[in-house]
Amino acid sequence: MSGETLKLIQKDPWLKPYVNAIEGRHNFAVEKEKEITRHGSLSLSDFSSGYMYFGLHHTNDGWVFREWAPNATAIYLVGTFNSWKKKEDYRLKKVEYGNWEISLPENAIHHTDLYKLLIEWEGGSGERIPAWCQRVVQDERTKIFSAQVWNPAKPYHFKNKKFIPETSPLLIYECHIGMASQAEKTGTYEEFRMNILPRIASDGYNAIQIMAIQEHPYYGSFGYHVSSFFAASSRFGTPDELKHLIDDAHQMGIAVIMDIVHSHAVKNEAEGLGRFDGSCYQYFHTGPRREHPTWDSLCFNYEKNEVLHFLLSNCKFWLDEFHFDGFRFDGVTSMLYYSHGLGEDFTNYEDYYNGRQDGNAIVYLILANKLIHEVNPNAITIAEEVSGMPGLASKYEDGGYGFDYRMAMNIPDFWIKTLKEKKDEDWRPSAIWWETTNRREDEKTISYAESHDQALVGDKTIVFWLMDANMYWHMHADDHNFNVERGMALHKMIRLVTATTINGGYLNFMGNEFGHPEWIDFPREGNGWSYKYARRQWNLVDDRNLKYHFLGDFDREMLKLICNVKNFQATPLLKVWDHDKDQVLAYMRNDLVFIFNFNPVKSFADYGILTPHGKYKIVLDTDDKQFGGNGLNDDTIEHFTQEDSLYKSEQKGWLKLYIPARSALILKRQ
């Protein structure tokens, strides 16, 4: 295949100077797939079934356990079943390719038994949690982690087996099981299933993106320092309870996306993969590339087929065993570049094709996407990537990486920068339009005003930037406070312009839809191991005497409007007006007209917006009293375009509208 025949290059002529690099990456992935599938004698899915072989499995004859540990000289199973003693009956046998295995009778181990591996190597030994184990628990008293046998007499059986996600558009509710509880504690899968899923469905979201599923030793890592890649975190409950949660979500029409971490791993040796078999290089790089310079973690060596086998199998496992509907890949920028993207500007295409990219990591991402869609053609993959690498969300066969979406990470950065650095009178509609629509035409994105990143301790959520301490004292429905009223107005406008300019999907972090106060701070020594800021105060939005419900109600109506337009995200997005001096922005999507007045002091009467001839009616108004606004417009009035001879041939006329300061209107052509 000639590089110039790849659609990625055909759609973007500016990529032609880099045709050799793009074609080389594509061909590298093709050749690597041939290598690991033995030139097609296996499918990619067959290659990625390691979890069916490795780890602990119950068989008709009892139990079989297998592990890959090429540097080990001896391995023993130790656990509650043998008093944690090194015994010959539980010694593994070394087989080919650095693998070890043992077969045990039925009564040798039992459901809920705890176990580890005692691994010996030249010059040392250590207890390790098996790399492929599917259940890890922590002792409440000693805080020590151990693998646990999980073989319930009545395992969970899925009721919904053919769920197809709704992606027109994809409306994602980013969430964390542990901090979804109202109480100051770690929430559970069961509590989330019964209490939070119905909220999400009622609010109009059709997908959840769950963080911190893969087991991680330190709760405060937000799940990004993974130790056991195949184990659903037991701090939230059992594997069966997670399956029940996913099954119920599907019953409600909600897709379940997992925030998967394959960009790095925790350094821990007792809990994780660091020096698993005594070597530093089993899963990770050696030398200076072994440790991530800012994340205090270990970097996978994607060049090794065994590492590809491990990570690809991990993707398939979560799809197959738990029926997840896809993944949001964390830290993709860190994977793509030898520098991890640190200190790079990414100002032109040369920065993406200058030889400082990790070709092996790129191949892994391409194969991961190919595998995921082979296992489930309806699966969703999202890349969290900040550099703007071209082709990330383009099809594999077109020369891309195969992700379905990429995160529009410029948008939340823009909003926070604006709130930090600009006075209200300096907000520019032209800049807002540029940031919310600046993307590659051939790649779908997930737009968002803020995610969990902006909510972490040390930063502020949008609502906190807007209101600060005033929200502690002036959120009663009858309380009039300028800062709070300003914050309420801009909170709705920021979300509305972000959500209605999408070309793929929209994301909101749990609680931010109603302006959840304060930051997120997980229990740690510095805060006295407190859960006060690692929870969600749902009572605030449920209390009709407080203003939080206005924001929640608006979010619900905004999503309802979007969902009532077929393929909203794919409808043409046409800017019809921006005036930086007035601070007014207007654009259209089919029969909908979106008008924003960001001016903090000026309301405009009879403001003219040129639109197709017709009758228009207001269908959403941020200033509506039901959303905590002033209700300065009569939204029942029908608006008719006024003819202008200059635009008669275009069948356009002027909509003359009253646009209050700090408000937005959506009108629909009748």
Side-chain angles (χ1 to χ4, degrees), residues 176-190:
H176 184 287
I177 301 296
M179 61 174 289
S181 171
Q182 169 87 26
E184 295 184 22
K185 67 181 189 70
T186 302
T188 68
Y189 297 126
E190 281 289 275

Side-chain angles (χ1 to χ4, degrees), residues 84-151:
W84 298 98
K85 302 294 184 181
K86 171 181 169 180
K87 295 185 177 181
E88 285 300 313
D89 290 350
Y90 291 87
R91 179 170 180 157
L92 277 67
K93 177 184 177 182
K94 189 171 185 179
V95 293
E96 58 185 356
Y97 307 122
N99 297 331
W100 298 75
E101 70 175 20
I102 186 173
S103 296
L104 294 167
E106 182 74 32
N107 63 356
I109 52 178
H110 306 89
H111 176 56
T112 73
D113 276 347
L114 302 180
Y115 70 102
K116 292 184 180 181
L117 298 178
L118 175 58
I119 300 182
E120 298 178 351
W121 56 83
E122 291 293 336
S125 65
E127 287 188 352
R128 299 288 187 261
I129 292 176
W132 296 79
C133 71
Q134 299 178 17
R135 173 76 170 165
V136 175
V137 296
Q138 185 180 26
D139 185 279
E140 291 186 8
R141 182 179 60 85
T142 66
K143 304 303 180 184
I144 293 174
F145 287 86
S146 301
Q148 184 180 49
V149 179
W150 193 254
N151 185 45

Side-chain angles (χ1 to χ4, degrees), residues 191 269 305 317 323 333 353 438 446 464 479 508 537 579 615 628 652 658:
E191 290 169 340
E269 296 178 5
N305 288 348
F317 167 77
H323 293 201
T333 305
Y353 305 103
N438 178 25
I446 302 295
F464 214 76
D479 191 337
N508 167 71
Q537 299 179 60
H579 195 292
K615 178 176 67 175
K652 292 181 178 179
Y658 176 61

Side-chain angles (χ1 to χ4, degrees), residues 47 125 152 176 278 320 328 365 385 438 514 522 524 529 585 596 657:
F47 172 80
S125 65
H176 184 287
D320 185 41
R328 177 264 202 186
L365 291 170
E385 204 281 317
N438 178 25
F514 65 84
F522 281 92
R524 56 186 173 86
W529 303 103
L585 171 68
F596 294 79
L657 302 166

